[in-house]
């Protein structure tokens, strides 16, 4: 039937559920439907972040289905499917891998070339060794992604 008016006054935040309000919390690990932050200057990434509709993870390309630094993910961004590389995650990391405040992703195309021309945040130094191992195994070329980074942590 509905809450009486007195209840709405006690909980004013319940009235303001709208387009910009996210009902799911930001996850500390990257799984399906996790919201991510695009940290390159690709056009589609800038538009999505400016509109307040961050991309969501559809699939993580590893056996555990939980993304860590250097993993490839499939994203839903502005009604399109794009691939990306995780360059920073919130979850607790092992030694010498930094923990970030947000789950950061860089958009790439199918052969591993980044869509943007600049990465705005520092990326972990360990990402160099992780992506170089994946270059050999998968045949994709992630050296361009590493060349775009100006700061390493």
């Amino acid at each position: 039937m509905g809450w009486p008016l007195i209840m709405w006054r006690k909980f004013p935040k319940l009235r303001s559920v709208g387009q910009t309000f996210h009902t799911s919390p930001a996850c500390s690990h990257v799984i399906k439907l996790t919201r991510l932050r695009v940290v390159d200057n690709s056009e589609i990434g800038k538009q999505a972040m400016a509109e307040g509709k961050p991309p969501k993870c559809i699939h993580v390309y590893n056996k555990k289905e939980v993304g860590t630094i250097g993993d490839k993910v499939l994203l839903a961004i502005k009604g399109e499917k794009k691939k990306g590389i995780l360059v920073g995650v919130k979850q607790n990391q092992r030694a010498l891998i930094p923990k970030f405040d947000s789950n950061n992703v860089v958009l790439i195309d199918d052969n591993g070339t980044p869509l943007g021309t600049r990465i705005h945040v520092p990326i972990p130094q360990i990402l160099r060794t992780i992506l170089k191992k994946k270059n050999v195994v998968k045949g994709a070329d992630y050296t361009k992604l590493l060349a775009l980074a100006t700061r390493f942590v």
Side-chain angles (χ1 to χ4, degrees):
M1 187 150 165
W3 282 13
L5 186 60
I6 213 157
M7 292 302 285
W8 287 117
R9 287 188 190 136
K10 288 183 180 179
F11 303 106
K13 289 186 179 178
L14 291 178
R15 279 188 294 178
S16 64
V17 175
Q19 285 280 343
T20 59
F21 181 75
H22 298 291
T23 55
S24 62
C27 295
S28 65
H29 51 275
V30 178
I31 55 174
K32 288 184 181 178
L33 297 180
T34 302
R35 292 189 313 268
L36 301 167
R37 180 176 158 221
V38 179
V39 294
D40 61 1
N41 66 344
S42 58
E43 194 61 37
I44 191 167
K46 284 194 294 188
Q47 288 175 356
M49 296 308 285
E51 290 175 5
K53 295 182 180 179
K56 288 189 177 183
C57 177
I58 297 176
H59 182 70
V60 180
Y61 292 102
N62 66 12
K63 291 180 183 175
K64 293 184 290 184
E65 293 286 327
V66 176
T68 57
I69 290 179
D71 282 341
K72 192 173 177 182
V73 292
L74 183 65
L75 306 169
I77 180 167
K78 291 185 63 73
E80 299 178 24
K81 289 185 194 177
K82 296 285 181 185
K83 291 182 181 175
I85 297 287
L86 292 171
V87 294
V89 292
K90 277 183 161 182
Q91 73 188 48
N92 291 330
Q93 301 292 329
R94 61 181 199 265
L96 300 177
I97 300 179
K99 178 180 175 181
F100 285 81
D101 292 338
S102 60
N103 295 319
N104 300 332
V105 68
V106 174
L107 299 177
I108 58 171
D109 59 6
D110 289 333
N111 58 0
T113 307
L115 297 181
T117 57
R118 183 175 297 157
I119 298 176
H120 298 302
V121 297
I123 63 173
Q125 183 74 28
I126 194 89
L127 194 64
R128 288 182 184 207
T129 56
I130 292 171
L131 291 181
K132 284 182 181 175
K133 287 178 189 173
K134 290 186 180 184
N135 275 348
V136 176
V137 175
K138 301 291 182 185
D141 187 23
Y142 298 126
T143 54
K144 292 180 186 174
L145 187 137
L146 294 171
L148 290 181
T150 55
R151 294 173 287 172
F152 288 92
V153 177

